[in-house]
């Protein structure tokens, strides 16, 4: 039986998740719904699902319909890729409604909300995974590929001093 996923937040970080579900993990997983404050973004996401991934369009729910989405679509997991300040709201509510959660980092924005999430995990017994999917961004994937294929030779060290200098305005 396939694991059912619902996604909340269809902005820039979302495609790394739903693209993998419908392409790489289609044998074991299915995307059952998306949720966002912006219908245009959800329509764009459904367009990508259909045209880029050859998947079916999925039901869309506005943010104030999040609980309805969970009750109606019955996902096993909720993926949270909304703006950081809303992560705790969706994580807690999804767990209270019986779902495990995968959230893009950061888990939340302050200590108090973090404690609320930890208390909810303890109270509900649900699981939370906090991810950093940027490592799978196309340019990072290409760098890994070049290293693993030996294209650039053996890598013995990497220096990031140049990055520190550019971030602080130095040339």
């Amino acid at each position: 039986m396939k694991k059912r996923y619902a996604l909340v937040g269809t902005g820039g970080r979302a495609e790394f998740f739903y693209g993998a579900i419908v392409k790489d993990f289609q044998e074991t997983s299915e995307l059952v719904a998306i949720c966002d404050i912006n219908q245009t973004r959800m329509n764009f996401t459904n367009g990508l699902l259909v045209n880029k991934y050859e998947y079916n369009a999925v039901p869309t729910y506005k943010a104030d319909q999040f609980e309805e989405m969970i009750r109606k679509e019955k996902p096993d997991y909720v993926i949270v890729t909304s703006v950081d300040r809303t992560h705790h709201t969706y994580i807690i509510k999804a767990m209270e409604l019986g779902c495990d959660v995968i959230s893009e980092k950061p888990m939340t924005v302050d200590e108090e909300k973090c404690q609320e999430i930890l208390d909810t995990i303890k109270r509900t017994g649900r699981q939370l995974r906090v991810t950093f999917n940027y490592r799978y961004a196309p340019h990072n994937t290409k760098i890994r590929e070049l290293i693993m294929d030996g294209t650039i030779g053996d890598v013995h060290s990497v220096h990031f001093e140049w990055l520190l200098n550019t971030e602080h305005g130095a040339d």
Side-chain angles (χ1 to χ4, degrees), residues 106-117:
M107 180 168 73
T108 190
V109 295
D110 63 38
E111 181 182 354
E112 182 179 306
K113 291 177 180 71
C114 183
Q115 189 60 56
E116 290 176 30
I117 292 169

Side-chain angles (χ1 to χ4, degrees), residues 12 15-16 52-53 133-146:
E15 189 177 354
F16 291 115
K52 180 177 179 179
Y53 294 103
N133 71 50
Y134 187 67
R135 74 186 74 188
Y136 301 109
H139 65 278
N140 292 334
T141 301
K142 186 63 176 178
I143 290 168
R144 182 179 189 279
E145 177 185 309
L146 292 171

Side-chain angles (χ1 to χ4, degrees), residues 9-10 35-42 61-64 90:
T10 58
C35 177
D36 200 292
I37 60 171
N38 185 311
Q39 186 64 50
T40 301
R41 275 197 306 255
M42 290 190 287
Y61 294 85
K62 294 298 257 330
D64 62 352
Y90 293 116

